[in-house]
Amino acid sequence: MAKIKPGKNTSKKEVIIKSASVLFRTRGFSAATMRELAEAVGVEAPSLYNHIGSKSEILQAICFKVANAFNDQLAAIETQQVNTISKLEHIIRFHIQMMMNYYDEVFVANHDWKHLEEPYLSNFLMQRRNYEKRLVAIMEEGIRKKECKNLNPFVVVLTMLSAVRGLEFWQRHKKNISVKVLEDDMVNQLLKGITAK
Amino acid sequence: MAKIKPGKNTSKKEVIIKSASVLFRTRGFSAATMRELAEAVGVEAPSLYNHIGSKSEILQAICFKVANAFNDQLAAIETQQVNTISKLEHIIRFHIQMMMNYYDEVFVANHDWKHLEEPYLSNFLMQRRNYEKRLVAIMEEGIRKKECKNLNPFVVVLTMLSAVRGLEFWQRHKKNISVKVLEDDMVNQLLKGITAK
DNA sequence: AAAAAAAACTAATAAGCGTTAGTTTTGTAA
DNA sequence: TTACAAAACTAACGCTTATTAGTTTTTTTT
């Protein structure tokens, strides 16, 4: 019978969480069962509880891992001494890369955060709101310095965030379009539009 | 005891489906229970089955109502004798309006279609793919006629679709930003970009 | 090799699920 | 007012859920 095989630096808990990310993405958190997760890991369901506390705890681990990654990267970009358009470009590219490299985790964080329990739910939502506000602040600076059009900064930021989030639908076109074309064309469209001059 | 109160032209089945749209949006299809739905409608759970066949049937009704609305509108736009940018603008504005007027239904169709049962699942996905292809065809024509930049049409279309889909997050900012500003700024950004000339 | 710790197993629990059966109430038409 | 149909009710079924208890196997440490 198959055992949990942790790699060099991955604990069994991390293996379970990675499997759960894939399972939760495909089935959704509520529809996914611990028995399904156990089968994916290669173990009986009760054995999972030697490594994790509960189903909900797994969701917490996934959501906050993603949230932390985005927060850390934004903090780094905020301190950069470059113009606003460059900052926005960096952010867009980072979102795209997160989507490519941590597809399952980002998807789950985007879709199933509502199933977090308190106080994790409130904490997560607070972090999201804060993230949006920091992006809006960047955009507002760009407008002030006349680098950006005078559009509603909230609209711009959420349009950008939504657009990159839409990369969820891209996994199935992954083979047809290179990541470079994807990144460049998306940055181009969001920052400069699609209308020919 | 409260009864199901159908309006002039709304059957009790429609009342149930509308309540289910709100419930499924807030709780997610899998997490939502028939007992919760019954309470929202003001009835005991088994009474629902005098009007609907199953929980799954409700999801089907929601998803295909939304799919039909988008398909019909796109068909109308396709026959219009206007330039490509105008067509894309119409499509974006229609998506925004659908999001504003049928928020719950569109949200559920976007999030919970994966819980449709066969053959409805395959049918729904086929319609989605077809919809995307028709949008790509419009964008390709725009590139051919030099109305649009030579960007990857798939990237452009899915960026647009994703951006308008992101209006899901907008309900909470509804009071701060008028629909007109929202529509105009979003169209402006997606078609002409945010960078100042 | 023996002892201790970690992690697997089987069995079972209480709770909640969608749904059905059977009955009673309500609304409508003759 | 009586007859009929629609739609509500209560009770319950069979199934699945996450999780716990108790035991055995495997791995690690001494």
Side-chain angles (χ1 to χ4, degrees):
Chain A
M1 183 169 306
K3 296 284 171 52
I4 296 176
K5 271 284 175 53
K8 275 268 167 55
N9 290 329
T10 55
S11 73
K12 294 175 189 182
K13 183 168 183 173
E14 286 169 314
V15 172
I16 291 174
I17 290 172
K18 178 63 205 176
S19 287
S21 301
V22 178
L23 178 67
F24 292 173
R25 170 181 64 77
T26 51
R27 298 259 298 135
F29 174 77
S30 292
T33 73
M34 295 302 277
R35 286 170 177 82
E36 288 171 335
L37 176 56
E39 187 175 18
V41 171
V43 103
E44 293 298 319
S47 302
L48 295 170
Y49 290 84
N50 284 323
H51 305 279
I52 54 102
S54 67
K55 188 187 180 188
S56 197
E57 185 193 284
I58 299 174
L59 183 62
Q60 291 159 27
I62 295 170
C63 288
F64 286 97
K65 185 175 128 185
V66 170
N68 288 337
F70 280 108
N71 280 331
D72 292 350
Q73 179 66 16
L74 181 54
I77 290 174
E78 282 170 330
T79 65
Q80 287 179 354
Q81 301 288 342
V82 296
N83 62 30
T84 297
I85 294 290
S86 292
K87 283 183 184 173
L88 293 176
E89 179 173 343
H90 276 135
I91 291 164
I92 293 171
R93 287 185 189 275
F94 180 71
H95 273 254
I96 294 173
Q97 283 157 25
M98 281 292 288
M99 214 63 188
M100 292 297 168
N101 299 330
Y102 301 97
Y103 175 55
D104 300 301
E105 291 86 347
V106 175
F107 188 106
V108 170
N110 280 340
H111 276 78
D112 288 324
W113 56 262
K114 68 170 66 164
H115 297 113
L116 286 169
E117 296 168 356
E118 293 293 355
Y120 302 98
L121 177 59
S122 295
N123 187 314
F124 185 85
L125 286 176
M126 195 196 64
Q127 288 196 43
R128 263 191 78 92
R129 274 192 295 273
N130 184 253
Y131 189 86
E132 288 171 9
K133 279 185 187 167
R134 289 154 75 191
L135 291 190
V136 166
I138 291 176
M139 181 68 195
E140 284 172 338
E141 193 192 11
I143 295 173
R144 218 179 310 118
K145 293 184 178 172
K146 311 271 188 209
E147 289 181 50
C148 301
K149 289 184 192 169
N150 189 24
L151 299 171
N152 185 300
F154 249 125
V155 177
V156 170
V157 164
L158 285 194
T159 298
M160 275 179 23
L161 288 181
S162 303
V164 292
R165 201 190 130 160
L167 291 173
E168 287 173 2
F169 312 118
W170 278 87
Q171 293 298 101
R172 54 180 148 116
H173 299 113
K174 234 179 178 176
K175 303 136 198 163
N176 305 336
I177 301 171
S178 78
V179 176
K180 182 166 170 40
V181 168
L182 179 60
E183 261 194 57
D184 291 348
D185 281 12
M186 189 170 267
V187 166
N188 199 335
Q189 174 178 7
L190 288 172
L191 299 182
K192 299 180 199 158
I194 66 169
T195 309
K197 298 138 216 175
Chain B
M1 182 169 308
K3 297 285 172 50
I4 297 176
K5 271 283 175 55
K8 276 270 167 53
N9 291 328
T10 55
S11 73
K12 294 174 188 181
K13 184 167 183 173
E14 286 170 314
V15 173
I16 292 174
I17 290 172
K18 179 61 204 178
S19 287
S21 300
V22 178
L23 179 66
F24 292 172
R25 170 181 64 77
T26 50
R27 297 260 299 135
F29 174 77
S30 292
T33 73
M34 294 302 278
R35 286 170 176 81
E36 287 171 336
L37 176 57
E39 188 175 16
V41 172
V43 104
E44 293 298 319
S47 302
L48 296 171
Y49 289 83
N50 285 321
H51 305 280
I52 54 103
S54 66
K55 187 187 183 190
S56 197
E57 186 193 284
I58 299 174
L59 183 62
Q60 291 159 28
I62 296 169
C63 289
F64 286 97
K65 184 174 129 185
V66 171
N68 288 338
F70 280 109
N71 280 330
D72 293 350
Q73 178 67 15
L74 181 53
I77 291 174
E78 281 170 332
T79 66
Q80 286 178 355
Q81 300 288 343
V82 297
N83 62 29
T84 298
I85 294 290
S86 292
K87 284 183 184 172
L88 293 176
E89 180 173 342
H90 276 135
I91 291 165
I92 293 171
R93 289 187 188 273
F94 180 71
H95 273 256
I96 293 173
Q97 284 158 21
M98 282 291 290
M99 214 63 187
M100 292 297 166
N101 299 331
Y102 301 96
Y103 175 55
D104 301 301
E105 291 85 346
V106 175
F107 188 106
V108 171
N110 280 340
H111 275 79
D112 287 324
W113 56 263
K114 67 170 66 163
H115 297 113
L116 286 169
E117 296 170 356
E118 293 293 355
Y120 303 98
L121 177 58
S122 295
N123 187 312
F124 184 85
L125 287 176
M126 195 196 64
Q127 288 196 46
R128 263 190 80 91
R129 273 192 296 274
N130 183 253
Y131 190 85
E132 287 171 9
K133 278 185 188 168
R134 289 155 74 190
L135 290 190
V136 166
I138 292 175
M139 181 67 194
E140 282 172 339
E141 193 192 11
I143 295 174
R144 219 178 309 118
K145 293 185 178 173
K146 312 272 189 208
E147 290 181 48
C148 301
K149 289 185 192 169
N150 188 24
L151 299 171
N152 185 299
F154 250 124
V155 177
V156 170
V157 165
L158 285 195
T159 298
M160 275 179 22
L161 289 181
S162 304
V164 292
R165 202 189 130 160
L167 292 173
E168 287 173 4
F169 312 118
W170 278 87
Q171 293 298 102
R172 53 181 149 114
H173 299 114
K174 234 180 176 175
K175 303 136 198 162
N176 304 337
I177 300 171
S178 77
V179 176
K180 181 165 171 43
V181 168
L182 179 58
E183 262 194 57
D184 291 349
D185 281 13
M186 189 169 266
V187 167
N188 199 335
Q189 174 177 8
L190 287 172
L191 299 181
K192 300 181 198 157
I194 66 169
T195 310
K197 300 140 216 175

